[in-house]
Amino acid sequence: EDARITRGSLESEISSMIEEKKQEDLRLATLKSDLVESEKELHGIRQDRERRSSRQETLLDFELQMEGLDSGAKELLRQQFPGVLGTVADFLEVDTEHLVAVEGALGDLAGAVVCDSIDSASRAISFVKEQKFGRTVVLARGIDSSMNTPQIELRGMVGLVSEFIRTDPKDQKWIHNLLASIVAVEEGSQAGDILASGLARSTMVTREGDVYEPTGKITTGLKGGVGILSRKTELRALELEIEDYDRII
């Protein structure tokens, strides 16, 4: 009788151990599966990080070569000409949804050289002329302008382009003056209607970056296909994204 009890106890214990082993194997298989998925996810994250890093290197190379700038602007920046602070694009931050419109409104001004005073700007212009670098746009920061912003609201208007820009408080006034008379509209057809109505008093720019002037002149596309402001904006975004990936990895 005792032998039967002992045998039954042993069989029960063995069954329990077998069940525990099955459960342990199941947990181990789950862990292995989770590990494989984690490794796949980590591999994907690393690939995404590499793609962004590669794109960043390309854009940085463009920045180093000053792609999209005129020869005079490039030389003023390379030489760190006295009084030169950078380009207009260096002073701006714009949300992606308004980026194309702002870039279209700025046109060549995005790559204009900004100087700390009218005297510095005059010296920079003299240097460009002496060196025969060709047409170069130079702006003097801090010049007070009395440009009026449009007061008439018309169908399709989104707002003033100057409202879409963020910049340092000390630069807000002169940056605002650059774009104060330019109105953003939804579509080209609406800008066309405003021109046809004879009510156009200001330059208009669509969300796609097409510029409609009161004279009837319409400009589409970026000079040379290069968006200086877009490039700088993308570089800022990539830097933040890569930092986030590095924290995960």
Side-chain angles (χ1 to χ4, degrees), residues 55-63 229-242:
R55 176 63 176 166
Q56 183 186 44
E57 288 178 8
T58 299
L59 293 176
L60 286 172
D61 187 52
F62 286 153
E63 281 289 284
L229 182 58
S230 292
R231 186 172 69 226
K232 291 181 182 295
T233 301
E234 187 177 356
L235 271 170
R236 293 189 193 105
L238 284 170
E239 184 177 357
L240 294 175
E241 289 176 3
I242 290 172

